[in-house]
Amino acid sequence: MQNTERTKQPYIQSIDTIHIPSANRFRLSNDIPVYSIHSGTEEIIKIDLLFRAGNWFQPKPLIAVASNEMLHEGSRKYTSEEIAGKFDYYGAFLKMNTNLDVATISLLTLKKYLKETLEILSDILINPTYPEDELNTYIKHKKQEFLLERSRVNNLARVKFNKALFGNHHPYGKIVQLNDHDNITRDDLVHFHKNYYNSGNCEILLTGMTDHSVHQTVDEFLGTSEWKREGKTKAPDFVPFTTSENEIFTPKENAVQSALRIGKIIFGKHHPDFPGLKVVNNILGGYFGSRLMK
């Protein structure tokens, strides 16, 4: 093992170039597009499945996130305990995330156990059962989490800011209420899953020690015709209603901190200047060492 000389300052040099590897694109047997990037030195594979199934598409509050987070709570073959136990046994990690636009399911697994973990993933993805008892437990937990989050000034500022920009009838601006949790039903989740979790509404990103054998294994479990559906799901249209107020102050009793949001609606993610805007916005105020903090 190489010893680190801690009495000397590390050598600092400017970055001349940044190498961004190109993705190898192909399609599974059921026509799902896959972007594969060979990277890293360890025998690890990361699979990210992206669905156009975020808050934008939900018929009522919390359905998108509940449909995604409840996937691993039971399937046709496995109970929630069996799913957790098997992933733990194989040293794999499964994570669900839902934002305003997309829902993602991420699997991090050892390459030698790719078949075993993909078999479980495909079953919970294609055949979730959304058990009623697990749903009731999930709702109780989410209500407690909601009350905790609502007490934080950072979350309160974000919610008020989004509402001011988009309006409460827009998916980006709608404010979730505590009683919205009690309106979630199993039928809501089953219906949402049927409409949005299918091959026609999915993209896959593969990273790690990828090769042809990995591509074949992914096609074996996720390229099945059982899951096939033609065409993308059409997104509903919403029009933002931005408030005419330039400054909004929301008091919070007994708060020990303040949270600040500054912004406006501009162009979207497909605009050629969007990546540059993200960098500039981050420099101005997007992290603790930003210009705003200094």
Side-chain angles (χ1 to χ4, degrees):
M1 180 182 294
Q2 184 177 1
N3 293 325
T4 302
E5 179 54 73
R6 301 189 182 279
T7 61
K8 297 181 180 180
Q9 179 178 323
Y11 178 66
I12 299 175
Q13 63 182 24
S14 59
I15 298 174
D16 297 323
T17 58
I18 298 177
H19 173 66
I20 301 177
S22 299
N24 173 29
R25 178 173 176 172
F26 64 96
R27 288 184 177 271
L28 301 185
S29 298
N30 56 7
D31 214 33
I32 296 178
V34 180
Y35 304 88
S36 178
I37 299 176
H38 182 87
S39 61
T41 58
E42 304 297 329
E43 293 289 318
I44 296 174
I45 300 293
K46 186 169 187 285
I47 304 175
D48 294 295
L49 295 102
L50 287 77
F51 297 90
R52 288 168 290 278
N55 295 353
W56 186 278
F57 301 88
Q58 62 188 4
K60 59 185 183 181
L62 301 173
I63 299 303
V65 64
S67 298
N68 184 269
E69 293 181 346
M70 284 285 296
L71 283 171
H72 67 302
E73 296 297 345
S75 67
R76 183 184 298 173
K77 291 183 180 180
Y78 305 109
T79 65
S80 60
E81 291 82 5
E82 289 172 332
I83 292 169
K86 284 181 177 293
F87 279 127
D88 185 58
Y89 176 78
Y90 292 117
F93 176 73
L94 186 68
K95 181 180 180 181
M96 277 76 168
N97 184 58
T98 308
N99 62 29
L100 297 171
D101 300 299
V102 299
T104 60
I105 301 166
S106 302
L107 172 66
L108 187 65
T109 183
L110 295 173
K111 185 176 180 180
K112 64 180 179 180
Y113 293 134
L114 182 61
K115 283 194 174 185
E116 290 82 354
T117 52
L118 266 182
E119 188 274 329
I120 306 167
L121 175 62
S122 65
D123 192 50
I124 67 176
L125 183 61
I126 301 171
N127 306 304
T129 54
Y130 295 118
E132 198 77 49
D133 57 336
E134 297 286 358
L135 176 58
N136 292 334
T137 302
Y138 172 83
I139 291 173
K140 290 178 182 177
H141 172 73
K142 296 301 287 188
K143 288 172 75 173
Q144 293 174 349
E145 188 179 275
F146 174 81
L147 293 173
L148 178 62
E149 285 295 317
R150 195 169 63 174
S151 66
R152 295 172 177 167
V153 293
N154 186 57
N155 184 61
L156 183 61
R158 176 184 57 80
V159 170
K160 295 289 186 179
F161 178 71
N162 289 347
K163 181 185 177 183
L165 278 182
F166 299 99
N168 197 39
H169 296 290
H170 193 283
Y172 291 179
K174 188 171 184 61
I175 296 179
V176 175
Q177 305 296 334
L178 182 62
N179 60 5
D180 287 329
H181 296 81
D182 297 320
N183 294 328
I184 302 173
T185 68
R186 180 182 179 276
D187 287 342
D188 290 329
L189 307 189
V190 171
H191 184 72
F192 192 82
H193 175 270
K194 180 180 178 181
N195 285 339
Y196 296 102
Y197 286 82
N198 54 71
S199 63
N201 203 41
C202 178
E203 291 179 285
I204 297 176
L205 175 62
L206 282 176
T207 52
M209 295 296 283
T210 62
D211 53 31
H212 184 63
S213 66
V214 170
H215 298 170
Q216 286 183 317
T217 303
V218 172
D219 188 56
E220 178 185 350
F221 291 99
L222 299 179
T224 171
S225 59
E226 177 188 1
W227 201 36
K228 185 174 178 61
R229 176 170 170 177
E230 301 292 343
K232 297 180 180 178
T233 304
K234 185 178 179 181
D237 293 325
F238 296 97
V239 178
F241 292 95
T242 305
T243 181
S244 58
E245 296 179 80
N246 290 325
E247 295 181 9
I248 298 175
F249 175 72
T250 303
K252 175 73 171 64
E253 269 191 60
N254 302 318
V256 295
Q257 287 183 318
S258 295
L260 178 68
R261 293 287 185 277
I262 304 172
K264 63 180 292 185
I265 296 178
I266 50 174
F267 49 75
K269 295 179 180 179
H270 298 292
H271 193 282
D273 288 338
F274 185 79
L277 175 69
K278 289 281 289 183
V279 174
V280 171
N281 191 63
N282 203 52
I283 292 172
L284 291 178
Y287 67 109
F288 195 76
S290 66
R291 185 180 177 88
L292 176 64
M293 292 299 295
K294 289 180 179 179

